[in-house]
Amino acid sequence: MLIAGFPAGAWGTNCYVVAPAAGEECVIIDPGHQAAQGVEETLKKHRLKPVAVVLTHGHIDHVASVVPVCGAHDVPAWIHPEDRYMMSDPEKALGRSIGMPLMGELTVGEPDDVRELTDGSALKLAGLDFSVAHAPGHTKGSVTFRMPEAADIPPVFFSGDLLFAGSIGRTDLPGGSHAEMLESLARVCLPLDDSTVVLSGHGPQTTIGRERATNPYLREVAAGQGGGSAAPRRGM
């Protein structure tokens, strides 16, 4: 399996390109602010053909390049219905203006083909299997994508802004909820095998085992104590 990731734009949001192997079809995850060039370079380097864009949530730092990427390759974008409005109205999603100079660089709106994700659904794209879990807390429509263990890699978990190395996503923006974040951590993350590789929306990769042992939020959820505040939270 091929997973190529790179941080993009003002917020350093991780964009991922996933394929069975070089020279095959692929899926693009979270093409955010200024990610289009990195996507094209990755596709060219590995000789990949996109079949879909999938989004962990609707914040502008994760979706800003959806329109140009989908348009360039005539592919659909998948997003949870509760976050769909954010593609066309990113300022409402943040509860404030993100600034005219930055907005001037963005193509705000929906691509021609938008499809909606549902909790528990199974997506088969580019010959790959993605299990979708609705994980509200950072936003109402946040989701995660889990891929099963393959011959050459352990299970992979694209956590978006739910779980980071040593931290979790912020919950103070419109649609955020600390209580829902804790419930999502308990329901979605804790059942995963310790070997599961976590590829998050910001920062370095980690594993569920490492986070279970060291992440203060996940540790306190596991202990039934309801969450913590020892580590700074990330994301827009």
Side-chain angles (χ1 to χ4, degrees):
M1 185 182 297
L2 187 158
I3 301 177
F6 59 92
W11 297 281
T13 304
N14 291 327
C15 176
Y16 299 100
V17 179
V18 189
E24 299 195 23
E25 294 182 333
C26 69
V27 175
I28 300 164
I29 301 175
D30 286 355
H33 183 230
Q34 298 180 340
Q37 181 177 343
V39 167
E40 296 306 319
E41 291 172 353
T42 301
L43 298 179
K44 182 178 180 180
K45 176 180 179 180
H46 299 289
R47 310 180 316 280
L48 300 172
K49 175 180 170 54
V51 298
V53 168
V54 297
L55 303 167
T56 61
H57 64 288
H59 279 160
I60 193 68
D61 61 324
H62 289 252
V63 308
S65 295
V66 168
V67 170
V69 169
C70 287
H73 300 281
D74 192 25
V75 299
W78 293 78
I79 191 168
H80 192 276
E82 292 198 67
D83 275 14
R84 182 171 176 171
Y85 76 94
M86 297 185 189
M87 290 193 285
S88 298
D89 195 355
E91 293 183 0
K92 183 178 180 182
L94 300 177
R96 57 179 173 82
S97 170
I98 62 176
M100 290 308 295
L102 179 59
M103 286 296 293
E105 301 174 9
L106 305 179
T107 305
V108 176
E110 293 190 355
D112 291 338
D113 187 354
V114 178
R115 307 181 187 184
E116 295 186 345
L117 298 165
T118 58
D119 184 43
S121 61
L123 294 181
K124 191 170 186 67
L125 301 168
L128 302 167
D129 295 313
F130 297 87
S131 298
V132 180
H134 185 209
H138 183 60
T139 67
K140 290 295 184 184
S142 289
V143 301
T144 65
F145 303 104
R146 182 171 53 85
M147 301 180 68
E149 182 176 3
D152 54 343
I153 63 169
V156 176
F157 180 60
F158 295 96
S159 64
D161 285 5
L162 172 65
L163 179 69
F164 303 127
S167 190
I168 60 174
R170 61 189 295 180
T171 59
D172 59 331
L173 294 174
S177 165
H178 187 65
E180 288 185 334
M181 177 69 84
L182 298 180
E183 192 279 331
S184 291
L185 289 169
R187 175 177 49 83
V188 177
C189 297
L190 288 182
L192 299 178
D193 189 86
D194 281 353
S195 67
T196 301
V197 175
V198 179
L199 299 178
S200 62
H202 301 269
Q205 77 175 50
T206 184
T207 66
I208 287 293
R210 184 177 302 130
E211 298 312 299
R212 200 190 309 275
T214 64
N215 188 307
Y217 300 95
L218 205 59
R219 289 181 65 183
E220 292 189 23
V221 169
Q225 297 175 4
S229 56
R233 286 177 278 178
R234 303 178 188 160
M236 173 171 279

